Amino acid sequence: TISTTSPLDDYEATVTGTDISPAEAEQTQQNVPVLKLLIDPLETTVTLDSIKVHAVGSPRDDNDVGSVKLFLDDGDGTFEPGVGAGLDGDPIATTTVAGGYATLNPTANETISTAGKTYFIAVDVGSVINADDGHVIGFEVENPSTDIVFLDVDITGYNLNYTNQKGYITQATPTAN
């Protein structure tokens, strides 16, 4: 699910979110896809700092998810975790759910040109002890204008300072499976 509110500042990007969750997943199953995000800057290249997702399962229980992962698509639009030709590689960010939220911070600067990039959010389902049978695991970007954060590079003298980038999501389109 994607929702949005008013613009934050002075350049634009669009995000399209697609639910790619399977009908069911087993306890301890790894790399279960839940969300596909296409981030498309309209006028300038941006650097992704973080994506915050909100757990919206039924009933929502942080223990149902062992970890949340962010993968960069290899260009074919299909989620294929793993290393090798035709695969999306290892996750570029991994975190856990706390208080119903997970913030994914890529380990390296993630530059997105005006051609856009596709990302996948996947989870490792909790262990038999922690994840309850019959629970529904779901995630959303609750407010793309604040939950998808970009970086600016501000060169002051010889220092490289990072600040929040002046950008906003102008269109957020939810799509179902």
Side-chain angles (χ1 to χ4, degrees):
T1 302
I2 300 286
S3 58
T4 190
T5 59
S6 60
L8 292 179
D9 216 335
D10 60 3
Y11 72 76
E12 302 176 38
T14 62
V15 61
T16 302
T18 305
D19 176 2
I20 56 170
S21 303
E24 60 183 54
E26 298 295 322
Q27 292 169 324
T28 71
Q29 187 173 337
Q30 295 185 347
N31 299 325
V32 177
V34 293
L35 195 58
K36 176 180 175 179
L37 295 175
L38 169 61
I39 300 175
D40 190 6
L42 299 180
E43 298 176 6
T44 187
T45 297
V46 298
T47 302
L48 180 65
D49 180 51
S50 65
I51 298 174
K52 182 169 78 171
V53 292
H54 178 220
V56 291
S58 173
R60 192 198 62 71
D61 184 347
D62 291 351
N63 293 320
D64 285 343
V65 177
S67 62
V68 182
K69 301 174 183 180
L70 180 66
F71 290 85
L72 173 62
D73 182 30
D74 65 353
D76 64 4
T78 303
F79 179 60
E80 307 142 324
V83 177
L87 301 177
D88 295 323
D90 290 327
I92 61 171
T94 302
T95 192
T96 56
V97 178
Y101 291 90
T103 301
L104 295 150
N105 298 293
T107 53
N109 286 344
E110 194 50 44
T111 303
I112 308 171
S113 74
T114 55
K117 281 189 179 178
T118 299
Y119 298 89
F120 297 103
I121 296 175
V123 299
D124 290 347
V125 180
S127 69
V128 175
I129 295 170
N130 293 328
D132 292 324
D133 195 22
H135 280 197
V136 175
I137 297 171
F139 284 89
E140 69 177 357
V141 177
E142 197 170 49
N143 183 349
S145 293
T146 57
D147 294 344
I148 299 175
V149 179
F150 303 104
L151 291 177
D152 252 354
V153 177
D154 176 21
I155 300 174
T156 306
Y158 296 102
N159 297 324
L160 193 61
N161 300 315
Y162 288 95
T163 60
N164 280 337
Q165 197 165 37
K166 297 183 286 186
Y168 58 91
I169 306 300
T170 58
Q171 176 183 356
T173 308
T175 56
N177 224 2

